[in-house]
C-alpha cells in the first residue's frame, strides 16, 4: 500500500483514538526522523503495538515509511535537476554513502546516473528465443545491462524504456549487429543451462553491486540464503536489503538471483515468477 494513500475508515468505536495516534505518528515521520521508540513515546503506544498497527493501516512499517519518504524526496530533487550532493542532504541522507549503500534506496543506479535517466548512454537491444522463452537482451558498449524475460515483446520493451528513459535505445534485428549478435548467442546458451561467457554492465548502487557480485560466485546447482549473502558481503544485519537488491536485478539468470532462497529453504520472491525460479533451480541441480 502506498504511504500517501488515503487510509480506510475503521468501523470500531475504539478506532477513533487509535486512528488519531497512527495519523500523528505518520505526521511525525513526515516532519523528522524519530526512532520507533521515540515515536511510540510521543503517540502513547508501545513500540511493538505501534509497529504492528502502523503496518496494518499503511502497509509499511514506520522505518519503511520513512525510507520511502526520503527516497521520494531525493528522486523529486534529482528529476528537477538539483545538484546530487544537495539533493542527498536535503532529502535527509546523512552522507552520500547512505544512499549508495542502503538497499532501501533502490535507485537502480548511482544518483548521478539516475538523475541523467540514462542520458548519454546508447543501448542496443534485441529479442531472442531461448529455452526459457522470449528474452529481451540490452547492452551498452561495456556489456549487457538487462536481460528481461516474458512472452509479450511490447511489455519487455516498455520495461526497458522505463529503466532508461533518457538513453538512446536502438532495436537491432537478431544477428544483424557484429557486437550484439555474439552476446545474444551467449545469453541463449546461458539460459539453456550451458556454460557461456556473458560480459555484463551492472548499473546499480554500490550495495547492489556487492550483492550481485556475490550472486555470481554461487556455484551452479547450489543456493544461498539472504542471510548468508549478507554475511559474505560484510553486512550481516542487511538481510532485507540483500533481498531488495536481488529483486532489483535486471539481468535474469546470468546474475543468478534465482539461487538465493529464504533461511528455511523456501523460494522467496522472484522478479520473473516463482514457477520459473523453481524450474531453473531444478534444472541446475539435475545437471
Amino acid at each position: 500500500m502506498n504511504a500517501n494513500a488515503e487510509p480506510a475508515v475503521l468501523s470500531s468505536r475504539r478506532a477513533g483514538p487509535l486512528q488519531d495516534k497512527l495519523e500523528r505518528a505518520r505526521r511525525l515521520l513526515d516532519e523528522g526522523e524519530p526512532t520507533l521508540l521515540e515515536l511510540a513515546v510521543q503517540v502513547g503506544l508501545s513500540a511493538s503495538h505501534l509497529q504492528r498497527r502502523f503496518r496494518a493501516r499503511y502497509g509499511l512499517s514506520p522505518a519503511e515509511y520513512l525510507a520511502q519518504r526520503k527516497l521520494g524526496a531525493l528522486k523529486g530533487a534529482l528529476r528537477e535537476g538539483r545538484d546530487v550532493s544537495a539533493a542527498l542532504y536535503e532529502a535527509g541522507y546523512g552522507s552520500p554513502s547512505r544512499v549508495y549503500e542502503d538497499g532501501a534506496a533502490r535507485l537502480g543506479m548511482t544518483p548521478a546516473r539516475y538523475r541523467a535517466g540514462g542520458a548519454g548512454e546508447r543501448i542496443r537491444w534485441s529479442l531472442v528465443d531461448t529455452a526459457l522463452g522470449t528474452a529481451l537482451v540490452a547492452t551498452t558498449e561495456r556489456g549487457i545491462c538487462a536481460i528481461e524475460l516474458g512472452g509479450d515483446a511490447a511489455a519487455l520493451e516498455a520495461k526497458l524504456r522505463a529503466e532508461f528513459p533518457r538513453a538512446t535505445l536502438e532495436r537491432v534485428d537478431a544477428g544483424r549487429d557484429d557486437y550484439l549478435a555474439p552476446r545474444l548467442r551467449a545469453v541463449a546458451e546461458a539460459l539453456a543451462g550451458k556454460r557461456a561467457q556473458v560480459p555484463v554492465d551492472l548499473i546499480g548502487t554500490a550495495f547492489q553491486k556487492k550483492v550481485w557480485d556475490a550472486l555470481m560466485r554461487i556455484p551452479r546447482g547450489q543456493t544461498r540464503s539472504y542471510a548468508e549473502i549478507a554475511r559474505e558481503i560484510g553486512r550481516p544485519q542487511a538481510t532485507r536489503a540483500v533481498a531488495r537488491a536481488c529483486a532489483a536485478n535486471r539481468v535474469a539468470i546470468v546474475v543468478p538471483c534465482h539461487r538465493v532462497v529464504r533461511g528455511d529453504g523456501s523460494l522467496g520472491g522472484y522478479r520473473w515468477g516463482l514457477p520459473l525460479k523453481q524450474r531453473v533451480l531444478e534444472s541446475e541441480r539435475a545437471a
Side-chain angles (χ1 to χ4, degrees), residues 71-120:
L71 179 58
L74 174 61
K75 285 184 172 182
L78 292 173
R79 290 192 189 105
E80 292 171 2
R82 302 292 301 278
D83 174 80
V84 171
S85 296
L88 287 171
Y89 285 104
E90 289 176 12
Y93 292 97
S95 68
S97 64
R98 289 296 301 275
V99 70
Y100 281 86
E101 296 180 359
D102 185 358
R106 291 194 299 171
L107 282 176
M109 59 186 73
T110 65
R113 292 183 78 173
Y114 180 88
R115 177 189 180 192

Side-chain angles (χ1 to χ4, degrees), residues 265-284:
S266 60
L267 293 183
Y270 191 53
R271 177 173 179 148
W272 295 281
L274 290 182
L276 179 60
K277 182 173 184 175
Q278 184 169 8
R279 175 185 167 191
V280 173
L281 284 175
E282 290 175 350
S283 175
E284 290 185 347

Side-chain angles (χ1 to χ4, degrees), residues 1-8 26 54-55 57-60 64-65 68-69:
M1 179 177 179
N2 190 305
N4 295 318
E6 185 67 23
R26 191 172 72 87
F54 193 96
R55 181 183 290 278
R57 183 170 184 79
Y58 299 114
L60 300 164
E64 290 167 341
Y65 180 94
Q68 187 182 83
R69 177 183 66 77

Side-chain angles (χ1 to χ4, degrees), residues 21 25 44 47 79 83 116 169-170 174 203 226 252 254 260 283:
K21 290 181 178 182
R79 290 192 189 105
D83 174 80
L169 301 180
E170 177 186 357
I203 301 174
Y226 297 107
V254 173
V260 187
S283 175

Side-chain angles (χ1 to χ4, degrees), residues 148-176:
E148 286 286 355
L149 303 175
D152 188 327
L156 292 175
E157 181 179 355
K159 282 185 179 181
L160 181 67
R161 293 189 180 279
E163 292 283 358
F164 304 103
R166 296 180 62 193
T168 299
L169 301 180
E170 177 186 357
R171 179 171 181 173
V172 179
D173 291 337
R176 298 290 184 86

